[in-house]
Each structure stands twice: as structure tokens, then as C-alpha cells.
Amino acid sequence: MATLLSSTSFLGFPFPKHFSYFTPLTDKRNSLRLNKETLLRYSCCVTTCSSSTSVFTMSSSGGSYEKSKRVWIWTESKQVMTAAVERGWNTFIFLSNHRQLAIDWSSFSFINPLFIEEGEVLDGENKRVATIFEVSTPQELQQLQPENGHAENVIINLLDWQIIPAENIVAAFQGSQKTVLAISKTHSEAQIFLEALEHGLGGVVLKVEDVEAVIKLKEYCDRRNEATNLLSLTKATITRVQVAGMGDRVCVDLCSLMKPGEGLLVGSFARGLFLVHSECLESNYIASRPFRVNAGPVHAYVSIPGGRTCYLSELKAGEEVSVADQNGQLRTAIVGRVKIETRPLILVEAKRESDDQTVYSIFLQNAETVALIPPCEGNGLLKAAIPVTSLKVGDEVLLRIQGGARHTGIEIQEFIVEN
């Protein structure tokens, strides 16, 4: 069987000169045992390194699958530890000679400590929960294959390159019962591992001494978690359709393709955002552009991850927006380009049946390729989008109802009147 490493040290701790892939070490570890009092302080979570508080669910950009991801933290910084625990990540990795640090931290925080010992990761009772491998050459990467009967978690340290090895590892372990985590030294590096080949690795070990890395990674995880929730959309009835003259409208081109029934949530007022359909539908006049939403004029609000809004005029390449469909399924997409051009506009107003006082409105380009999305039929079948050129009083469309008062795009509790 091929060997993985020939070095005698790895990440600051002794390493055997030669060992086989996924072959457990059999050294005596009695001297590493913690006393019973300490183990009790660690709680029963100690023996289950996959604690739910260190797991989040991430959907693909197309919303076609959901997969749980693990985030473990490797740090000697109390500030980093505190920031991680506050964000629900309580699995921490320590070198074997830092057990006292784990004991100190467990005295005031609920943590799940794991310890590195000669290429393996052990829990507080010295049970193996993961094996660590270092990969520095294409040959080592090719030889890394899943095998049964060994640690359920595999931690990979990719030394000089990340993206291609991560993709190869995702492919190699596809269908395996093992969870593969990669050691990441920045939040952006962690994101690469979590997204490789769309499915991503099973998780990351964030090895940092910087609180900001924890904060940014959690923000990323929260944005991706939004895709696992259904957004509440409300049926509204069109009460007014009126040609409004010329204005500067915004086309938002995404780095993702949209399918029928999907679009962006846009509105003149943050209290009610219309689901504006993408240009994915075929037309006799113009080719399908499934990456584009002709969203509305520059002043309009658009929904972005984190339950926030921003003005369409503020969007730029590299930023993220929230894509929703008729069923309220939400996902995140990256903006690739924003086009602002002067075009004829049409004003659309709507009201909810349960509220005949509040008016929700949106301006849209007066064109056949711009459409609003109606509610699904009673049997759950999708209805065709309604072009604004065919829209009439009495038609039903979908709205996202939310708080109208905003400060820098964040919903706040405040008295507000908007007309």
C-alpha cells in the first residue's frame, strides 16, 4: 500500500516516517487521558465530534441539493474561541501538549475539544474521530482514496494549492460515508473548499488567530443557510397599470442561470417586493437570457442575503442577491454585471385582499420580456409569468411582505410613511 508522507514532523507535532493511508496508529496513549472531572465538564458532546452546533446546511447555487457541513476551529486565541462559540461553533482542535488550554476554556465555555496526536485526532477519551493527511504533490493526491474500517472523518492539509485538489477530493470521496474536512487559514479559503465542484467538501477546520475570519465565515454560512428555508410569499391583486414615461432602469446579469418561475424580489417600497421574472423564457423577438432580470429603475429596492435590501443602483459585479421562485425557495447568486439604460417605464400597483389600504408598487420597463410571477395554482402547478405589456387590473401576482422601515438596508422598528 502506498505511503503518504515521508517527513518526520507535521504541523508542529511528531509524525511517523511512513504510514499507510487510513491506517490507525497504535501507540499507547494512557498518558494523554484526562481526569473524570474534566471529562464531565466537557459533557457528553466530547465523544461525538459532529455536534450539531458545529454543523450547518448548505444548498447548491441551483438549490438542487442540501448537504450538512462541519466547521471545526483550530486556535490558541481566547477571543477567536469566544467568537466561534457565540456563533454556534463549539468543536475545537488542540495540539496534544495544549490540553491544559482546553481544560481552561471548558471551565467557562461549552466546547467540544479534540486533540491531535501523531496524525490522528482524538476526543477527550482518546477515541479516534479523525485522521489527518498532508497533500503536497499531485501523486499524493491521486493516491488518496477512501477506505472502509477507519476514522469516519478525514482532515486534509493542502499545502501549496487548493482548488483543483479540493475538486479531485470531492470526486474521489463521492458516495463515501467519510466526511472530508480541509484545513483553511482564511475565510475565503474555507469558502473555496465548501464550494468545490458545487457539492464541496464535508467541512473545514478553520485554523486562525483572527476573530474577523470567524465572523466572515459565519456570515457566509448564514447566507448559504437561507437557501434551506422557504420564503413566505403573499398573493396580491393588481389595482393599477399605467404608462409612466422614461426612466433609468437596471438589468441585473447573474453568474448563475435561472429557470422558469425564478426571479428577483424588487419594489418601490421595502414593505412589499414583487417577484420579477428572469428573461429565461423563449420569445419570438429576442433570444432567451436566463441569467438576466430586467429588474426596475435605479431607485427600487432589491432583496439581498441576510434579510436585507439595497437599491438597484448600488449593485455591482461580485455582490450577491437573493433569487426566489414561485414556491418561495430562496438561493444566493453572484452579480456578474449591471446595466443601467434609459427606457420607457410602466407603473404597477397592487393590494392584498386582506388589506385594502396599503399600496405596493413597482416601476418596470415597458417591454414584452419583463414579467411578474403569479401564485401557483391550487394543485401546486406553476403558472406562466405575466408580461407587463399584458398585465391588467385584477391579475394576481406574488409579493414579499416585510417591514418597511430600513436603515442601510437593515429592517428596523420605526414609524414610517411612504407614498
Side-chain angles (χ1 to χ4, degrees):
M1 187 177 296
T3 57
L4 182 62
L5 294 177
S6 60
S7 60
T8 57
S9 64
F10 172 63
L11 297 173
F13 55 88
F15 209 91
K17 188 163 185 176
H18 293 285
F19 66 94
S20 299
Y21 295 107
F22 298 96
T23 300
L25 301 178
T26 56
D27 295 7
K28 293 182 179 180
R29 305 185 184 92
N30 292 335
S31 61
L32 299 178
R33 292 190 177 277
L34 300 174
N35 61 56
K36 291 182 179 179
E37 274 184 32
T38 302
L39 289 174
L40 287 174
R41 288 207 302 269
Y42 289 154
S43 83
C44 61
C45 181
V46 170
T47 59
T48 56
C49 66
S50 57
S51 168
S52 60
T53 53
S54 290
V55 175
F56 73 98
T57 302
M58 192 171 87
S59 292
S60 69
S61 59
S64 58
Y65 75 94
E66 295 179 5
K67 188 174 183 181
S68 295
K69 306 286 187 179
R70 297 179 183 177
V71 177
W72 298 350
I73 307 297
W74 186 351
T75 186
E76 296 178 25
S77 167
K78 182 178 177 180
Q79 289 74 24
V80 171
M81 180 275 294
T82 302
V85 171
E86 288 175 348
R87 285 155 181 81
W89 293 333
N90 67 351
T91 299
F92 291 87
I93 290 182
F94 301 86
L95 296 177
S96 60
N97 59 351
H98 288 167
R99 289 193 170 226
Q100 185 57 50
L101 181 62
I103 294 171
D104 294 342
W105 286 0
S106 67
S107 66
F108 57 84
S109 293
F110 178 77
I111 68 171
N112 171 29
L114 304 175
F115 303 95
I116 295 173
E117 175 67 17
E118 296 186 337
E120 294 183 348
V121 178
L122 314 174
D123 65 15
E125 294 182 335
N126 289 328
K127 293 180 181 178
R128 184 183 57 180
V129 296
T131 307
I132 301 181
F133 297 107
E134 186 176 80
V135 176
S136 59
T137 69
Q139 292 73 28
E140 291 173 349
L141 182 65
Q142 290 174 359
Q143 293 173 346
L144 183 62
Q145 296 294 329
E147 291 185 11
N148 296 323
H150 301 295
E152 71 169 284
N153 300 295
V154 178
I155 299 176
I156 306 294
N157 186 38
L158 299 170
L159 296 182
D160 301 320
W161 44 315
Q162 303 151 2
I163 298 175
I164 299 302
E167 292 179 348
N168 291 352
I169 293 170
V170 170
F173 282 80
Q174 187 174 9
S176 170
Q177 297 302 309
K178 300 183 187 301
T179 298
V180 182
L181 300 90
I183 295 175
S184 311
K185 296 181 180 178
T186 66
H187 75 279
S188 57
E189 193 173 86
Q191 182 175 335
I192 290 173
F193 293 133
L194 293 171
E195 295 179 345
L197 283 186
E198 188 175 4
H199 291 268
L201 297 179
V204 292
V205 176
L206 188 63
K207 188 176 187 293
V208 296
E209 305 300 324
D210 177 20
V211 171
E212 189 68 16
V214 173
I215 294 173
K216 289 185 176 180
L217 181 58
K218 184 59 167 62
E219 290 174 349
Y220 163 77
C221 294
D222 287 345
R223 292 196 301 271
R224 296 305 299 262
N225 272 342
E226 285 185 350
T228 66
N229 301 319
L230 285 177
L231 196 66
S232 176
L233 298 177
T234 301
K235 180 175 66 176
T237 302
I238 300 298
T239 57
R240 183 184 181 193
V241 181
Q242 178 180 317
V243 174
M246 303 296 287
D248 295 333
R249 70 95 175 97
V250 181
C251 271
V252 182
D253 292 348
L254 304 179
C255 296
S256 305
L257 298 178
M258 286 169 281
K259 59 182 183 292
E262 283 189 317
L264 298 181
L265 292 162
V266 185
S268 292
F269 308 118
R271 63 175 178 251
L273 304 179
F274 291 74
L275 189 50
V276 182
H277 203 273
S278 72
E279 294 189 3
C280 66
L281 303 178
E282 294 293 338
S283 168
N284 294 329
Y285 306 100
I286 192 169
S288 169
R289 293 183 174 90
F291 54 83
R292 173 172 294 173
V293 177
N294 191 332
V298 289
H299 77 278
Y301 288 109
V302 61
S303 179
I304 60 175
R308 303 178 62 180
T309 58
C310 74
Y311 298 116
L312 282 173
S313 58
E314 294 177 332
L315 287 180
K316 56 177 67 72
E319 296 185 345
E320 293 180 326
V321 292
S322 298
V323 175
D325 67 11
Q326 271 176 312
N327 294 313
Q329 184 67 54
L330 199 64
R331 64 184 175 97
T332 298
I334 299 172
V335 176
R337 175 177 54 238
V338 174
K339 292 173 57 180
I340 300 177
E341 299 164 313
T342 302
R343 294 291 187 270
L345 301 179
I346 189 169
L347 170 63
V348 177
E349 293 182 349
K351 291 182 179 180
R352 290 184 295 168
E353 292 181 359
S354 59
D355 181 6
D356 59 2
Q357 300 297 320
T358 305
V359 175
Y360 306 95
S361 72
I362 187 174
F363 285 85
L364 294 165
Q365 181 179 341
N366 192 0
E368 292 86 352
T369 55
V370 182
L372 294 177
I373 299 180
C376 293
E377 297 180 7
N379 55 9
L381 295 177
L382 302 181
K383 283 187 177 180
I386 308 172
V388 294
T389 51
S390 304
L391 198 63
K392 61 185 183 299
V393 173
D395 285 340
E396 293 180 338
V397 296
L398 287 173
L399 282 177
R400 167 60 177 168
I401 304 300
Q402 55 190 16
R406 298 266 155 170
H407 176 69
T408 63
I410 303 172
E411 184 175 337
I412 59 172
Q413 298 301 315
E414 183 181 65
F415 174 75
I416 184 172
V417 175
E418 289 183 305
N419 295 309

